[in-house]
Structure formats: C-alpha cells, structure tokens
Amino acid sequence: MRLAWVPALERPDLLADPVREALEGMRSAGTVDVGRIEVAEIDPASADTADLVAVTGMDLADMANCLVVAGARSGEERVCAVLVLGHTRADVNRTVRKALEVRKCSFMAMDDAVARTGMEHGGITPVGLPADWPVLVDARVLDRAAVVVGSGVRRSKLRLPGALTADLRGVQVVDGLAAEV
C-alpha cells in the first residue's frame, strides 16, 4: 500500500486538535516551515509501527516513536516525551532518567498520556504536546531524510524531514538516547 502524502494543514480533519493548533501556531510565527510537514490517511488498524511497516513496506528506520515518560523528584512530577527511531529502544533507565533528573522514571500509563496530550493511543506525536514538556529526540532522528510519526489520531501519520524535528517546540537533541534492538 502507498500512502498519499499532502501538506498537513490541507487536511486538518486528519489531525488531533493539539497537533493542528501547534502547526497553525508554527505557521503564524514562522518558526517552522510547516509546508514540509505532510499527513497521510491510514487504516487505524495499522497505526502501530510494525503494522504500518508491514502494510506499506516503509523502512522501520524511517519510523519514529513518540513515548511519554514520567518520574518524580521531591514530590514534583517531571514529564517528557521521547522520540526515537522505530528500530531503536529508548534508554529510559539511564539517559531519560538523567535528563529528567529523577531517581526513577517509567512510561506514563496510556490512559493518562492520552488524557494529558489530547491525542489518541497510537497517535501521540511530538507536535502539539503540552508546552512545559521537554521533548528528547535521539540524535539519529535528525539524520533521516524523513521520519513518520503520529498525527495525534490513529487514522493518519505525519511525515517530516528528520532535521526539522530539532526545530519543534521544547526539543532537546540527545546523543545516545536510544539503542538499536
């Protein structure tokens, strides 16, 4: 199956509200060339990375997974998003934990992540996350010509140049954030 990519803001119906609002804000502010961010409709049953690769034949290394991680320090919750390539696994117990400056952290419960992002399970993306959340991006993401990420909903995906992820709000590029599996 081939996906039909179009500029994301031409199909706002394929974007979660926070994603659409973030893209509109970036376009207005001129902070990111949102014309380079595309969206394609997919079968929601294929929203998970491995399933999408299986039905489209896309390279797993061109997929990027956005994960939400939480920890606490002195009773204060600390949350971040982590963006890693599909063929890698985030180093949550060392690299992410150090970045959050907590003793222990873990993936946020899915129901909580969905409620707090305004995005669907399987569609969480670094575009449009809460403004106070840092977004840790594995440095290898920037090396990809394009990466496919969630759109905030399960029925579509975003595609953007890997290097453009560094320009998204709250992004901190981290070497060694993920390890190949």
Side-chain angles (χ1 to χ4, degrees), residues 108-126:
M108 184 179 283
M110 187 51 61
D111 290 345
D112 197 17
V114 165
R116 293 171 71 178
T117 62
M119 300 178 198
E120 296 175 3
H121 168 66
I124 294 176
T125 183

Side-chain angles (χ1 to χ4, degrees), residues 14-98:
L14 294 178
L15 307 172
D17 288 342
V19 175
R20 180 188 45 75
E21 292 165 5
L23 289 172
E24 289 170 346
M26 287 184 270
R27 179 178 59 190
S28 294
T31 56
V32 173
D33 182 2
V34 296
R36 297 177 67 201
I37 301 175
E38 301 171 303
V39 67
E41 191 167 8
I42 64 167
D43 177 350
S46 300
D48 294 333
T49 301
D51 295 333
L52 191 61
V53 166
V55 299
T56 64
M58 288 191 280
D59 189 338
L60 184 59
D62 289 332
M63 302 292 168
N65 295 316
C66 186
L67 315 162
V68 179
V69 178
R73 181 174 181 146
S74 301
E76 173 192 330
E77 181 185 55
R78 296 183 180 198
V79 177
C80 73
V82 177
L83 188 67
V84 298
L85 295 174
H87 70 292
T88 66
R89 180 172 295 156
D91 181 4
V92 174
N93 293 320
R94 281 184 294 194
T95 309
V96 176
R97 181 183 57 78
K98 287 179 184 178

